[in-house]
Amino acid sequence: MAIYDPKSRKAEEFINDEEIKATLKYAEENKNNFELIDALLEKARPKKTSDGWSCAGLTHREASVLLACDDKEKVNKIYEIAEEIKHAFYGNRIVIFAPLYLSNYCVNGCVYCPYHAKNKTIPRKKLTQEEIRNEVIALQDMGHKRLAIETGEDPVNCPLEYVLESINTIYSVHHKNGDIRRVNVNIAATTVENYRRLKEAGIGTYILFQETYHKESYEALHPTGPKSNYAYHTEAHDRAMEGGIDDVGLGVLFGLELYKYEFAGLLMHAEHLEAVFGVGPHTISVPRLKRADDINPDDFDNGIDDDTFAKITACIRLAVPYTGIIISTRETESVRGKLLNLGVSQISGGSRTSVGGYAGYSSDERPHDTEQFDVSDQRSLDDVVHWLMQNGHIPSFCTACYRLGRTGDRFMSLCKSGQISNCCLPNALMTLSEFLEDYASEETRALGHKIVDNEINNIPNEKVRGIARDQVDYIRNYNENSPKGEDGRRKRVEV
Ligand code: SAM
C-alpha cells in the first residue's frame, strides 16, 4: 500500500487514496465543529503586514472541513473571506484570455471528450500555419493578447514539433497594433525534454487538467491511449517543472468523480508542488463537464450544482491564496458573475472551442463541427469587457510577468509583498487602454476611460503612477505622428 508523502515523486504517494479518504472522514466528523471552523476561517483571513498582506492558506484537511460545512452563516463567511483574499492579492483586476484549438486529432479514449479516438462522426482537423496566422489575426482584432493553445493527443498528426512551430507562428503575427504576448499551453502530458523545448519556445503557463484524482475512476474514464497511464499524467507537472517551466496550472474536470474527493486531491497536488519545488501551481482551473458532440453530461453521476460549484471555488481561494483561479466560457454569464466575487482571477472571453473557430466568422456566428464542448457564455469580448467594468472589475490584458521574469516563486513573493498594486494595476490599466482605443465599441470605451482615470489614482507609488498616466495619454492620443518604438510600432511600457 502506498504511504502518503507530499514530497514523494510517485503519484500514488503524493495523491494518496488513504489520505484522501481519511481527510473526507475527518471533514465529515468536523463539519459542525464550529469552534474549529471559526479558527480555520480566522487562519484563512488575510492579515495586513508592514508591506502588504499575508495569508496563511489552509491544508487539504482544513479546507475539506470548510467544504463539508453546510451551515449557511459559515458558508457566507467563507464567501466573504474569499472576496477579501481576492482583493488583497489581486485587487479588482481580472485577466482575460482566449483558447485557440490547433488540432482535434486524438489517440486517447477519454469517455467524456468528443475528441476520443472512437468518435467517427466528428470531423478531424489540424490548422495549417497559414490558418493559425488567420486565427491569430482574428483574435488580435478582438483585442486578445493572451492565448491558451489546445490540442488533442496524437504523436503522428500533432507532434510536439507542430506545436512548437505553431507557437512560433503565433508570436510572429503583429497585425495593426495587435500582438499575442503570452501563449499558455494545454497539451497532453509529455517528457522533461519536450517540456524544456516548450519553455525554450517562450510559453507562459503549462496547463494540464488531472480530470480526476481518483485512480480507479481515472482508469475507467481513460480506457485506452497514452493518457490512460494515471501515474504518467499525474506526475506531468513535476516533469514540466524539471524541464524549467516555472508556471504550471492544475485543474479537475468537475462532474466525473465525487467533488469532495477531487477537491482534496487537487489541494494535495498543490501542496506537493510547493513541497518539492518551493512554489505551488500558478493557476487552478475549475471546468465542469459539458454537453458535446457525442457526450451527454447526464450520463455521468457526479454533476454538481451552481451553489456547490461556488463553494468549491471559494474554498480553493481560501486554501491557496496566491494561486490564480481560472473560469472558462463553459459557465454562463450569471455563474461567472457570481464566481468573480469569490476569488476567480482569470476568465476567457469571446471563446471558440472548435478548430478554426475564429477567422471568417462574425461575433454571433460559430462553427460547431469540430467543437470540443458547448460554450455557455457566448458574448463577444467587447461585451465581456464592458460587463466586467460595469460590475466593478478591471479587465486586464497584461502579460508582463513572464517577460519581466516574474514567474514561479518570484511571482509568489511579489504577490505576498503587496507590490502587485505597483505593477499589476498599472499594467492592467495600460493594457486596458490599448484595448479601449484599438478594439472597443464606443460605449465600452467611454466607460473604460472613466474607470482608467479613476483607478490610476490608486497606484500607490508616485513615480509608477506618473509613468502609467503618461502611457495612457500616449495610447489615447496616438496617431501617425506620435513617437514610435524601435520596431516602428506604438511604444509599450510595462512596469
Ligand atoms: N489533450 C490534452 C490532455 O490530454 O490533457 C488537453 C487538451 S483538452 C483540449 C482540454 C480539456 O478539456 C481537457 O483536459 C478536459 O478537462 C476538457 N474537456 C474535455 N471534454 C470536455 C467536456 N465534454 N466538457 C468540458 N470540458 C471538457
Side-chain angles (χ1 to χ4, degrees):
M1 195 183 66
I3 308 282
Y4 176 49
D5 176 7
K7 282 202 160 130
S8 164
R9 305 299 291 271
K10 289 200 182 122
E12 283 180 71
E13 291 176 356
F14 65 82
I15 306 293
N16 182 255
D17 182 60
E18 291 291 310
E19 172 58 20
I20 297 185
K21 285 181 180 146
T23 297
L24 300 190
K25 184 165 175 282
Y26 172 77
E28 197 53 32
E29 285 164 0
N30 284 287
K31 69 179 189 184
N32 292 316
N33 179 348
F34 292 156
E35 203 178 314
L36 173 66
I37 287 171
D38 286 341
L40 294 177
L41 291 171
E42 194 42 42
K43 180 181 173 194
R45 196 181 280 285
K47 317 274 180 319
K48 194 106 188 78
T49 62
S50 57
D51 61 350
W53 290 92
S54 108
C55 221
L58 296 173
T59 65
H60 62 275
R61 280 209 180 202
E62 292 170 338
S64 292
V65 172
L66 296 188
L67 185 66
C69 172
D70 289 324
D71 181 81
K72 223 171 167 214
E73 195 193 311
K74 303 294 175 202
V75 173
N76 282 337
K77 270 265 170 309
I78 294 173
Y79 290 171
E80 195 183 291
I81 296 172
E83 195 167 1
E84 276 179 39
I85 294 174
K86 161 76 175 49
H87 280 280
F89 296 111
Y90 290 88
N92 47 357
R93 289 178 314 285
I94 299 291
V95 168
I96 306 226
F97 75 99
L100 171 58
Y101 282 74
L102 299 179
S103 162
N104 68 350
Y105 283 93
C106 197
V107 295
N108 287 314
C110 317
V111 304
Y112 49 84
C113 177
Y115 291 172
H116 65 90
K118 281 198 184 137
N119 187 350
K120 300 294 175 213
T121 57
I122 198 163
R124 299 291 167 172
K125 197 167 166 188
K126 170 181 150 186
L127 299 179
T128 63
Q129 297 306 310
E130 194 49 39
E131 286 170 327
I132 292 175
R133 225 166 264 122
N134 292 335
E135 289 288 275
V136 171
I137 288 173
L139 283 155
Q140 289 184 4
D141 280 346
M142 288 159 73
H144 280 293
K145 302 280 187 264
R146 175 188 293 246
L147 299 182
I149 56 172
E150 313 273 341
T151 70
E153 178 167 14
D154 188 327
V156 174
N157 289 300
C158 183
L160 190 80
E161 288 66 31
Y162 167 75
V163 176
L164 295 172
E165 190 188 357
S166 305
I167 294 169
N168 214 4
T169 300
I170 294 168
Y171 280 134
S172 74
V173 178
H174 305 290
H175 180 64
K176 299 184 181 163
N177 287 326
D179 304 289
I180 297 302
R181 300 173 183 163
R182 181 172 174 125
V183 177
N184 296 332
V185 172
N186 184 1
I187 63 166
T190 186
T191 60
V192 173
E193 183 45 33
N194 282 347
Y195 286 123
R196 197 163 285 127
R197 295 167 77 192
L198 284 165
K199 165 79 182 172
E200 281 161 12
I203 70 161
T205 312
Y206 172 68
I207 301 164
L208 182 71
F209 301 160
Q210 178 61 29
E211 321 301 5
T212 174
Y213 282 98
H214 191 282
K215 184 169 183 265
E216 254 171 61
S217 300
Y218 183 95
E219 287 168 353
L221 290 159
H222 305 93
T224 54
K227 194 165 169 178
S228 60
N229 185 336
Y230 176 84
Y232 190 73
H233 189 82
T234 312
E235 293 159 9
H237 302 82
D238 285 36
R239 291 194 300 280
M241 286 194 141
E242 267 178 58
I245 297 176
D246 294 335
D247 291 343
V248 296
L250 305 180
V252 155
L253 185 54
F254 285 102
L256 298 180
E257 240 304 334
L258 294 171
Y259 72 89
K260 290 180 181 167
Y261 191 100
E262 304 294 23
F263 178 82
L266 182 66
L267 294 185
M268 283 163 75
H269 201 167
E271 287 163 11
H272 161 72
L273 294 174
E274 177 96 43
V276 175
F277 299 100
V279 55
H282 188 64
T283 56
I284 289 181
S285 300
V286 287
R288 276 195 290 187
L289 186 63
K290 295 278 307 180
R291 187 169 297 282
D293 186 65
D294 67 343
I295 308 296
N296 180 356
D298 299 338
D299 294 342
F300 296 79
D301 296 333
N302 296 307
I304 47 171
D305 62 30
D306 293 349
D307 288 340
T308 307
F309 189 48
K311 197 165 147 202
I312 293 170
T313 309
C315 288
I316 293 175
R317 180 69 304 148
L318 267 57
V320 284
Y322 306 112
T323 297
I325 301 182
I326 303 182
I327 187 135
S328 75
T329 54
R330 288 177 182 85
E331 300 301 332
T332 59
E333 172 181 338
S334 74
V335 169
R336 299 209 313 160
K338 181 169 180 189
L339 264 59
L340 283 172
N341 294 324
L342 299 179
V344 163
S345 54
Q346 274 194 42
I347 65 168
S348 46
S351 304
R352 300 293 161 85
T353 65
S354 42
V355 182
Y358 296 104
Y361 298 100
S362 65
S363 65
D364 48 5
E365 257 183 312
R366 50 185 60 237
H368 294 290
D369 54 348
T370 59
E371 211 167 43
Q372 196 193 17
F373 51 80
D374 282 357
V375 168
S376 294
D377 186 345
Q378 301 196 352
R379 290 172 297 166
S380 69
L381 181 59
D382 186 75
D383 286 344
V384 171
V385 168
H386 193 267
W387 167 76
L388 284 171
M389 294 192 299
Q390 261 182 332
N391 288 289
H393 305 287
I394 305 175
S396 173
F397 293 87
C398 176
T399 54
C401 281
Y402 175 72
R403 269 181 306 287
L404 301 181
R406 292 183 202 130
T407 56
D409 56 346
R410 273 160 299 176
F411 173 78
M412 294 293 167
S413 51
L414 184 80
C415 215
K416 289 176 191 173
S417 69
Q419 279 309 306
I420 260 186
S421 47
N422 276 323
C423 54
C424 296
L425 177 58
N427 287 335
L429 298 175
M430 292 185 283
T431 55
L432 174 60
S433 297
E434 291 177 334
F435 176 85
L436 296 173
E437 302 314 314
D438 294 341
Y439 309 106
S441 63
E442 250 173 65
E443 246 191 314
T444 301
R445 187 177 309 129
L447 176 60
H449 283 174
K450 274 196 216 149
I451 288 187
V452 172
D453 292 343
N454 254 331
E455 289 287 342
I456 223 158
N457 299 317
N458 295 331
I459 300 170
N461 183 298
E462 201 182 324
K463 187 169 163 226
V464 177
R465 196 162 58 236
I467 294 172
R469 274 212 181 102
D470 289 348
Q471 181 65 8
V472 167
D473 284 346
Y474 168 72
I475 295 168
R476 280 192 197 166
N477 300 311
Y478 182 78
N479 59 42
E480 67 270 24
N481 301 320
S482 306
K484 313 264 185 304
E486 279 173 18
D487 56 0
R489 306 179 78 216
R490 190 172 61 198
K491 284 199 249 182
R492 238 168 78 208
V493 172
E494 283 171 338
V495 292

